[in-house]
Amino acid sequence: MLKVMLQKLWHKKWMVMCLLLGSILLIATVVSFPMYRNAAFDRMLQDEFQEYLAEKGEWPGRNEFIMVSKKDAGGKAMNKMETLMQSIYQDLGVTEKQTTYLYGLGKAEAHSLMNREDVNAISLKIGFLSDLENHAKLLSGEMYSSKGLTDDGCYEAVISQACMVSANLLVGETLEMDALKDGDGNPIRIKIVGVFAEDSNSDFYWQTSADEMDGFCLISEELFRSKFTKENAGKFTITCKYSTLFEYEDIKAIDVKHLKEQTTYLTEESPFRSTLSKPDYAGILEQFESKKGRIEATLFILQIPVLVLLCAFLLMISGQMYDMERNEISVIKSRGSSGGQIFRLYLYQSIFLTLFGALAGLPLGSLFCRLLGAARNFLEFSIRGELHISYTRDVLLYLLVSIVASILIMTLPAIKHSKLSIVKLKQQKALKKRSWWEKCFLDVICLGVSLYGFYSFRGNEEALEINVLRGEALDPLLYISSSLFIVGMGLLFLRLRPLLVRFIYFLGKRYWQPASYASFTENIKNGRKQQSIMLFMILTISLGMFHAIVARTILQNATDNSEYICGTDLMVKEIWTNNGGLSADGSPTELQYSEPDYVKYARLDCVSAYTRVMYDEKAYIPSTGNKRQNIILMGIHTKEFGEITNVSRDLLEKPYNTYLNELAAVPNGVLVSRNFEGQLGYKVGDIITYNNNDKFSATGKIVDFVDYWPGYISNEKQLLPDGSVENKDNFLVVANYGPLKQSWGAVPYEVWMTLKEGASTDNFYDWVSAENIKVTKYVDKGATLTGVVEDPLLQGTNGVLTMGFIVTMILCIMGYLIYWIMSIRSREMLFGVLRACGMHKGEVFHMLINEQIFSGVLSILAGLGIGKLTSELFVPMLQTAYAAANQVLPMQLITNTQDMVRLYGVVILGMLVCLLVLILLVFKLNVTKALKLGEE
């Protein structure tokens, strides 16, 4: 049977290659999902940790235990804690970075034995900090010796610089503590041998900084343990602080669940829960898991249409193979072969092809995963942040599932065909059956479900936005509705297509040439045979267009929104000093600010333009009673502001510069947001009084209303602790900077800047560092946009949709080409008869072109139309699912010209290749052989 299978595969090598391609793509696509999911989640987790490290400057993987041992005989409590420190890393499933112990006795009064008059009462505590000698930098003196004692029995101790200053101590000074006694009952004496500081600001050993050790005299760890712990522990009260740091870089997404559970146990259930507060990394893990669920569900659902399409491709090609081999199967069946033998023949064939597909599909899946991770935009890739791919148990499980699915798809049709005898074959050819989907009205069902999803979500957009704010995984029907709509419209087109063909045939019935007549006859009689390839073409093209528009729309709207909120390239607000407080006689003084040097910004080579913007989010409009209306106040220099900012004409009633000119023409004029008109009842020409946060007052005349303004968010949605969502309206007042400065004097402002073309913000960072500028607010539009593009959800969506687009286009070309090659081969005898009857090759070409028009061209046009209609209906809903909480700009449907050119180019290329192959096949037709075949 193996020999028969190999011979059959060799004779059907083009069909086999097509099945092999489908199997490879199916397996590669399936295994790429767990690969990308695991790698992307690992990178996302590391990004969360690194972001915490950058913002807080503290090591994110840290647990801190604090315990007070009060005269604990034998030091049992300390022993338990130290035992926990030895096992905590294994319990959490993490790698140890470092563990530090800080033990300290209670403060005790000490006096200097140097009889210094400048030293008053000194209160110090003796302690040790483990491994101090390897992380401290000595500013004076030396580190305590290994023995820890001087020749006369004094404890050698080092102190921090802060302790030296506050206690007014000297290196070499000896102190005596009367309240602390050694084993012989003598007061303990301490000799200060050195002053230390942190060896490096980037050394995370210093979880308790040297400056915070004011009052500590640190001695040798061995000496402290021998004198104050174990059997001596019952005599003292010791405060113990344990810091455990683990390597967060080694944590994978798969480890999060265990780490979170063990941390929860330690903080809430373990015997040590009173010593440990909730660590900061627990919040990082919670935030990660809330994102992870939504991303995982989204990416899986987005891959479903591509997987279904791949399965349909395999099913279509294998179905064509079975149709071509029906005669062979019926002959073999009639000659004594059992149905089981025939089924096993095709089963072995499927296993053979699938195993070869798995060998190529696994590395191809790894390549797909890398493409997903490198997707910066739709069909745009970047090598930054390459994913670390690993073949985990999940990957092997998905590989096994895809192998089984591929074998089943290629083998299950053999159950029906293995029962086919010559008599049954003749009976089937004589019958004309309607397709099963036509009988059960699958097109109507798909359209009904998809439209239900459309109207359901369209009427509950607010609930959808709340789910997004809560970070919940969205209803899969939101994503599946678009795919069902495409399938339903495609099937509806196939239901109506025969009517269209018959109508066109009827219009020119008297005028058709023989070739046209033959092509119409073929379409009318055997048009149902083309339904599978036509549906496949419609699905691939419409999905390709839909994926292109979805990807561009989501990312472009996100970047446009971020650009609008940022306002300009760079935004800086320096720290201003003022004379706030009381005068010498106790009366309040008039508030005055000291303005930083503004001229220094002219020395910035990377900046093309800059301006002052008085920005106050705590300004308000006073009103009667105790109520007031909070506003956002912006004081601008209209000319300079207009040079570095812009608002799209589509967002405003008038051109942006017109508003600036209106404001510039009236010195005390103000532009206000549209909600002043709608909610507060103001109109153009009204006078309003407004105060800034320092209660400086000004009066302005409203010159116009604006709907959008650079950096202005008109409405914010905030998630409250109880899970509800609050809508907050923001009111904006834009005034002229000059009159405000004359009236109020110098008040804090921001500096808004635009960069020169090609300039990098690195130069700006260096300048800030060189000028030693202290800032309270900094906005970098470039970094913000990079964060948007590299958001795991958006990047994963772009990657999945890009991969889906590429795969569907490959399937579109290969499926269409293979179908028509097999179609020509199956009708070789018919073409031979037509040629023998006098039809020349030009008429055969004309016949084939007509068939192409009523199958391929109609499918392409239907696919493009369905893709466009699906985008118009469903992309806005998907955009809402991806929108940020501060989404300000109205959603725009983005159709990128380059994407459409790629789509049309692939389709046209496929059609041209198909026509070229068909022409070559027709030229190779041998009439004599075809007729002889018919005689046999």
Side-chain angles (χ1 to χ4, degrees), residues 645-703:
T645 60
N646 191 31
V647 178
S648 173
R649 178 68 178 86
D650 298 334
L651 298 175
L652 300 172
E653 293 182 350
K654 305 174 186 177
Y656 177 56
N657 288 334
T658 301
Y659 290 101
L660 293 173
N661 293 334
E662 290 177 346
L663 180 61
V666 183
N668 70 330
V670 291
L671 294 169
V672 297
S673 52
R674 182 69 61 182
N675 46 16
F676 269 90
E677 181 182 32
Q679 297 186 33
L680 303 181
Y682 285 93
K683 60 183 181 296
V684 173
D686 285 352
I687 304 297
I688 65 171
T689 300
Y690 53 90
N691 295 352
N692 71 352
N693 186 41
D694 296 319
K695 299 182 180 180
F696 293 149
S697 180
T699 301
K701 178 181 179 181
I702 297 177
V703 296

Side-chain angles (χ1 to χ4, degrees), residues 865-882:
I866 293 172
K868 185 66 175 176
L869 178 60
T870 306
S871 301
E872 294 283 350
L873 292 176
F874 291 94
V875 169
M877 290 194 304
L878 289 174
Q879 165 63 21
T880 302
Y882 285 84

Side-chain angles (χ1 to χ4, degrees), residues 462 466 469 715-729 885:
E462 186 174 348
I466 292 175
L469 286 174
N715 181 274
E716 292 180 283
K717 296 180 178 64
Q718 299 176 339
L719 185 64
L720 300 179
D722 61 359
S724 61
V725 175
E726 178 185 47
N727 286 321
K728 177 187 175 185
D729 287 316

Side-chain angles (χ1 to χ4, degrees), residues 329-339 342 418-421:
I329 294 173
S330 63
V331 170
I332 295 174
K333 178 75 173 176
S334 301
R335 290 180 177 177
S337 295
S338 65
I342 296 173
S418 63
K419 302 176 182 178
L420 192 64
S421 64

Side-chain angles (χ1 to χ4, degrees), residues 428-455:
Q428 287 182 4
K429 288 183 176 181
L431 294 174
K432 291 185 178 180
K433 294 182 178 180
R434 295 175 65 192
S435 301
W436 64 270
W437 63 265
E438 291 181 282
K439 295 179 181 177
C440 64
F441 291 94
L442 183 62
D443 50 345
V444 177
I445 294 174
C446 289
L447 285 175
V449 174
S450 63
L451 292 177
Y452 165 77
F454 171 77
Y455 286 109

Side-chain angles (χ1 to χ4, degrees), residues 363-508:
L364 183 60
S366 176
L367 176 60
F368 280 176
C369 181
R370 295 183 189 279
L371 289 176
L372 288 174
R376 181 174 180 84
N377 204 330
F378 184 69
L379 294 176
E380 295 177 13
F381 302 96
S382 169
I383 61 173
R384 185 261 174 204
E386 184 177 352
L387 295 177
H388 298 285
I389 298 170
S390 57
Y391 296 96
T392 60
R393 185 169 55 185
D394 286 351
V395 175
L396 298 179
L397 178 62
Y398 275 71
L399 175 63
L400 180 62
V401 171
S402 62
I403 289 174
V404 172
S406 179
I407 292 173
L408 289 175
I409 291 171
M410 288 190 281
T411 307
L412 287 179
I415 298 176
K416 180 182 70 173
H417 288 84
S418 63
K419 302 176 182 178
L420 192 64
S421 64
I422 294 179
V423 176
K424 287 185 178 180
L425 177 62
K426 296 295 183 182
Q427 290 174 345
Q428 287 182 4
K429 288 183 176 181
L431 294 174
K432 291 185 178 180
K433 294 182 178 180
R434 295 175 65 192
S435 301
W436 64 270
W437 63 265
E438 291 181 282
K439 295 179 181 177
C440 64
F441 291 94
L442 183 62
D443 50 345
V444 177
I445 294 174
C446 289
L447 285 175
V449 174
S450 63
L451 292 177
Y452 165 77
F454 171 77
Y455 286 109
S456 174
F457 288 108
R458 193 65 176 268
N460 294 280
E461 289 188 14
E462 186 174 348
L464 188 62
E465 292 175 354
I466 292 175
N467 289 338
V468 172
L469 286 174
R470 291 173 178 169
E472 298 177 359
L474 301 176
D475 191 338
L477 184 60
L478 175 63
Y479 298 93
I480 296 174
S481 294
S482 57
S483 300
L484 289 178
F485 184 79
I486 291 174
V487 173
M489 289 297 294
L491 293 175
L492 180 63
F493 171 78
L494 293 182
R495 184 185 291 273
L496 299 177
R497 175 186 168 273
L499 300 178
L500 177 63
V501 174
R502 289 178 182 274
F503 178 71
I504 296 175
Y505 169 71
F506 175 77
L507 291 179

Side-chain angles (χ1 to χ4, degrees), residues 111-128:
H111 63 273
S112 174
L113 298 182
M114 295 177 64
N115 297 319
R116 293 170 55 195
E117 296 180 357
D118 59 337
V119 177
N120 298 320
I122 304 172
S123 180
L124 297 173
K125 50 186 173 182
I126 299 175
F128 81 85

